[in-house]
Amino acid sequence: MKKFGLKDIVPYIFIIIGALLASFSVACILLPNDAIDYGTAGIAIIISKLTGFNLSLCVLCVFAPFLIVGAIVLGANFTVKAAIGSVVYMVGLEFFEKLNFELNIEHFLAVAFGGALLGFGLSLILRFGGCIDGSEILANLIVSKVAQKLGKQMSMSGILITFNACVYIAAFIFIDKNGALLSLLVYVVATVIIDHFTDRFEAIKQVTIITKTPEDIVSYIKNDMNKTCTIMDSQGAIAGENKTLICYVTYFELQKLRTMVRQYKGAFITVSTIDEIIR
């Protein structure tokens, strides 16, 4: 049985920190300045404002179906991290909403700072394999299904932009026009921060794996991830004959592949971001 060491705990610590930063930003900076979060959290905030229901409960109800889908598609490791991040985010919202804190500066500056803090918090969560936004799970599912059915690799950018455009249009119509525009600024600032720390998580990732024992890795890519890969003979100056595997995955699929490859000592993996694949 595998021992659970410090390096296994560290990702959960950073996910918790990221969720607390995100919830603080939303509860103490964005909402008091008439802005909202984006993604499924944005939907939950709109529902809460229209109905008066508890915000944390709305976040849970909106995110839960996506978390179930993520459990099926992305596996147990992702589900545990996403669940922990989501619980901490909801508890953080409950706590920080009651905190007597107010950022007494101009709305524009407050929202820009809040968006940056939100982006940094979400970056930590994504960087360590978690997620508190159902739109990202939905985008990953659509991209994976398109790849399986049509053999076409695509980024998640268009799907995420479309999803969030719908959120802000709803905020513009049902909540407040100025608030919707401020929220759009939150989205722009947060995504710039996230892209910087996660190397554009919404883009396609090319994974190159060099190993002497490729059989189990290839089987995992084909059977567990429903992906294909290119296999090439390669030669190391010290290690000698190897096999080089190349495959294309989404950011969340990359976390699964990393976890699997780490089980094989001597396997070497590199990851690069791909803007476009032309067939």
Side-chain angles (χ1 to χ4, degrees), residues 15 21 33 45 81 116 133 156 161 165 180 187 193 198 205 219 221 227 241 250 254 263 273:
I15 288 171
L21 288 174
N33 286 281
I45 292 170
K81 290 179 177 179
D133 184 6
M156 295 189 289
I161 290 172
Y187 177 67
I193 299 295
T198 63
K205 303 298 177 182
S219 176
I221 292 171
K227 296 283 183 179
E241 292 186 0
T250 65
L254 173 61
Q263 299 174 17
T273 298

Side-chain angles (χ1 to χ4, degrees), residues 20 35 49 54 84 103 113-114 148 170 189 205 209 226 234 270:
L20 289 173
K49 283 180 173 289
N54 179 272
I84 290 173
L103 199 60
F113 175 72
Q148 291 174 27
V189 173
K205 303 298 177 182
I209 305 167
N226 292 315
S234 55
T270 62

Side-chain angles (χ1 to χ4, degrees), residues 148-165:
Q148 291 174 27
K149 298 292 184 182
L150 304 178
K152 180 181 178 182
Q153 296 287 344
M154 57 185 289
S155 74
M156 295 189 289
S157 300
I159 301 167
L160 291 173
I161 290 172
T162 302
F163 187 98
N164 288 300

Side-chain angles (χ1 to χ4, degrees), residues 32-270:
N33 286 281
D34 301 322
I36 66 172
D37 197 353
Y38 60 91
T40 51
I43 295 174
I45 292 170
I46 292 172
I47 294 172
S48 178
K49 283 180 173 289
L50 291 175
T51 62
F53 291 160
N54 179 272
L55 176 55
S56 296
L57 182 60
C58 290
V59 170
L60 174 62
C61 292
V62 173
F63 184 66
F66 295 95
L67 184 61
I68 294 170
V69 171
I72 298 170
V73 177
L74 298 171
N77 187 50
F78 167 83
T79 305
V80 171
K81 290 179 177 179
I84 290 173
S86 300
V87 169
V88 173
Y89 178 74
M90 288 183 289
V91 171
L93 287 176
E94 280 288 321
F95 174 77
F96 291 127
E97 278 186 314
K98 298 172 183 175
L99 192 66
N100 186 21
F101 177 88
E102 185 176 350
L103 199 60
N104 292 314
I105 58 176
E106 199 271 330
H107 273 11
F108 181 86
L109 292 176
V111 167
F113 175 72
L117 189 62
L118 174 65
F120 182 65
L122 295 177
S123 297
L124 287 176
I125 295 169
L126 290 168
R127 190 73 179 83
F128 289 93
C131 175
I132 59 171
D133 184 6
S135 64
E136 293 156 3
I137 298 174
L138 176 64
N140 184 87
L141 177 62
I142 293 173
V143 168
S144 298
K145 290 299 181 183
V146 169
Q148 291 174 27
K149 298 292 184 182
L150 304 178
K152 180 181 178 182
Q153 296 287 344
M154 57 185 289
S155 74
M156 295 189 289
S157 300
I159 301 167
L160 291 173
I161 290 172
T162 302
F163 187 98
N164 288 300
C166 293
V167 173
Y168 290 129
I169 289 171
F172 189 87
I173 295 172
F174 297 112
I175 304 298
D176 178 71
K177 296 179 177 60
N178 291 333
L181 294 176
L182 286 171
S183 302
L184 183 59
L185 174 63
V186 171
Y187 177 67
V188 172
V189 173
T191 51
V192 168
I193 299 295
I194 291 170
D195 285 349
H196 176 74
F197 284 103
T198 63
D199 188 23
R200 295 170 51 212
F201 85 95
E202 80 286 354
I204 304 164
K205 303 298 177 182
Q206 176 180 298
V207 183
T208 302
I209 305 167
I210 300 174
T211 178
K212 285 185 173 295
T213 54
E215 293 80 10
D216 289 343
I217 299 175
V218 172
S219 176
Y220 181 82
I221 292 171
K222 289 173 60 179
N223 300 323
D224 291 75
M225 299 184 68
N226 292 315
K227 296 283 183 179
T228 187
C229 63
T230 299
I231 307 172
M232 299 180 292
D233 294 323
S234 55
Q235 183 80 22
I238 297 175
E241 292 186 0
N242 296 302
K243 292 289 185 182
T244 297
L245 316 177
I246 299 175
C247 64
Y248 299 93
V249 297
T250 65
Y251 187 83
F252 294 115
E253 290 170 333
L254 173 61
Q255 312 308 318
K256 290 176 64 178
L257 190 56
R258 274 178 175 160
T259 301
M260 192 272 176
V261 173
R262 283 181 183 139
Q263 299 174 17
Y264 295 88
K265 292 183 178 179
F268 180 76
I269 180 171
T270 62

